[in-house]
């Protein structure tokens, strides 16, 4: 039987604006009803990879791309990260992060990473990020490859990269551009993958599981 189209697989900016504008609505829909597990899964895998390399989580200077209302930032803060900077393209996300999780982010910038001004780039680079998190924000018309690349290239060599993506976006049939990007990042030794893990990201509104792949690794060099 054909799957009923899952509207919430394709959440658009106006949906996020509504979800973030009403306190706890995002958590109610995405976490309570649709059982999203990704922030916990990704930050746990990051932590596990750090432990394996004897890296203290307290040394992390993290750029959280597509930060939303701060759920990932909160988990990084619990792990003791030294610095956490959130970036999101919509103002409502920044307002919600401050409203719902005050103090979690040292800074939160409302920016389009695909067209950073020189000033934005200088300001972000000055933080000497050694960690990039990007959770539940790639593909689906959200963060495009160009924005991910720009954020990746702000991370210092040997920095930690933790992100997830819908498994179909890593397959040959993908038209988001991420299949090719991730393949070349791994094949050209741009990213040294420490952990790749398929898991249930959340349920669709038809209650069918949606699977993502989490990738944690260490940056070797910039994406060219
Ligand atoms: C599903 S939410 C995930 C939020 C958070 N990472 C979490 O796991 O709860 C995706 C977020 O990506 C943001 N986003 C979409 N496109 C973006 C872009 N081009 N640059 C920055 N953020 C973007 C959206 O505004 C939204 O806040």
């Amino acid at each position: 039987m054909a799957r009923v189209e899952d509207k919430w697989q394709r959440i658009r900016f106006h949906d996020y604006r509504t979800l973030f504008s009403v306190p706890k609505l995002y958590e109610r829909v995405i976490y309570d009803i649709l059982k999203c597990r990704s922030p916990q899964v990704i930050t746990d895998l990051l932590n596990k990879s750090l432990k394996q390399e004897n890296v203290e989580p307290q040394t992390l200077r993290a750029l959280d791309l597509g930060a939303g209302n701060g759920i990932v930032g909160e988990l990084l803060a619990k792990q003791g990260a030294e610095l956490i900077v959130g970036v999101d393209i919509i103002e409502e996300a920044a307002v919600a992060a401050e409203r719902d999780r005050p103090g979690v982010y040292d800074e939160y910038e409302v920016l389009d990473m695909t067209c950073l001004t020189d000033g934005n780039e200088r300001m972000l680079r000055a933080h000497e990020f050694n960690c990039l998190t990007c959770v539940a924000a790639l593909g689906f018309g959200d963060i495009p490859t160009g924005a991910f690349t720009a954020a990746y290239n702000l991370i210092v060599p040997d920095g930690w990269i933790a992100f997830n993506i819908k498994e179909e976006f890593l397959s040959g049939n993908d038209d988001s551009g991420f299949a090719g990007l991730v393949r070349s990042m791994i094949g050209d030794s741009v990213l040294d993958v420490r952990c790749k893990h398929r898991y249930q990201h959340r349920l669709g509104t038809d209650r069918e599981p949606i699977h993502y792949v989490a990738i944690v690794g260490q940056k070797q060099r910039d994406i060219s």
Side-chain angles (χ1 to χ4, degrees):
M1 195 175 68
R3 263 186 84 168
V4 178
E5 199 208 339
D6 177 5
K7 173 185 184 296
W8 293 102
Q9 281 204 27
R10 294 194 162 269
I11 298 172
R12 299 295 184 199
F13 292 144
H14 64 268
D15 297 313
Y16 288 129
R17 291 201 161 100
T18 309
L19 286 171
F20 291 141
S21 296
V22 180
K24 300 292 171 206
L25 182 58
Y26 181 75
E27 283 83 347
R28 179 80 187 115
V29 174
I30 305 292
Y31 290 88
D32 298 345
I33 300 174
L34 300 180
K35 310 283 179 214
C36 179
R37 302 171 50 223
S38 284
Q40 194 68 58
V41 168
I42 310 289
T43 51
D44 283 352
L45 289 174
L46 173 63
N47 213 13
K48 199 169 133 198
S49 300
L50 295 176
K51 265 202 189 112
Q52 279 165 357
E53 294 299 317
N54 293 320
V55 176
E56 295 293 337
Q58 292 80 359
T59 61
L60 289 189
R61 302 176 60 80
L63 172 61
D64 183 23
L65 176 63
N69 64 351
I71 293 172
V72 175
E74 181 170 54
L75 293 169
L76 291 170
K78 276 193 189 139
Q79 293 176 0
E82 180 187 332
L83 174 90
I84 313 171
V85 174
V87 168
D88 203 285
I89 202 166
I90 59 172
E91 180 70 35
E92 287 83 349
V95 170
E98 186 52 32
R99 177 196 65 213
D100 300 340
R101 295 175 178 81
V104 156
Y105 290 98
D106 295 281
E107 243 176 74
Y108 195 117
E109 304 293 340
V110 177
L111 285 177
D112 181 351
M113 290 295 288
T114 55
C115 49
L116 285 183
T117 62
D118 289 349
N120 291 151
E121 183 171 345
R122 253 198 316 278
M123 173 265 295
L124 290 171
R125 217 170 262 293
H127 288 304
E128 300 183 340
F129 296 116
N130 58 12
C131 177
L132 172 66
T133 52
C134 185
V135 177
L138 299 179
F140 285 133
D142 280 344
I143 295 177
T145 52
F148 180 76
T149 298
Y152 188 94
N153 289 349
L154 289 171
I155 309 302
V156 300
D158 288 331
W160 291 89
I161 310 293
F163 66 99
N164 68 346
I165 188 155
K166 192 166 192 270
E167 63 176 347
E168 283 82 352
F169 291 163
L170 289 183
S171 75
N173 305 325
D174 142 85
D175 59 8
S176 72
F178 278 101
L181 179 65
V182 173
R183 206 176 313 122
S184 69
M185 283 166 69
I186 297 171
D188 300 343
S189 305
V190 166
L191 178 68
D192 179 7
V193 175
R194 297 306 168 89
C195 165
K196 193 170 173 192
H197 174 64
R198 178 183 185 268
Y199 68 100
Q200 184 178 312
H201 158 62
R202 64 168 170 81
L203 299 174
T205 45
D206 54 4
R207 311 306 288 171
E208 287 292 322
I210 298 174
H211 288 98
Y212 271 46
V213 176
I215 296 181
V216 176
Q218 260 187 297
K219 173 174 170 175
Q220 303 300 295
R221 57 190 174 81
D222 280 356
I223 298 169
S224 55

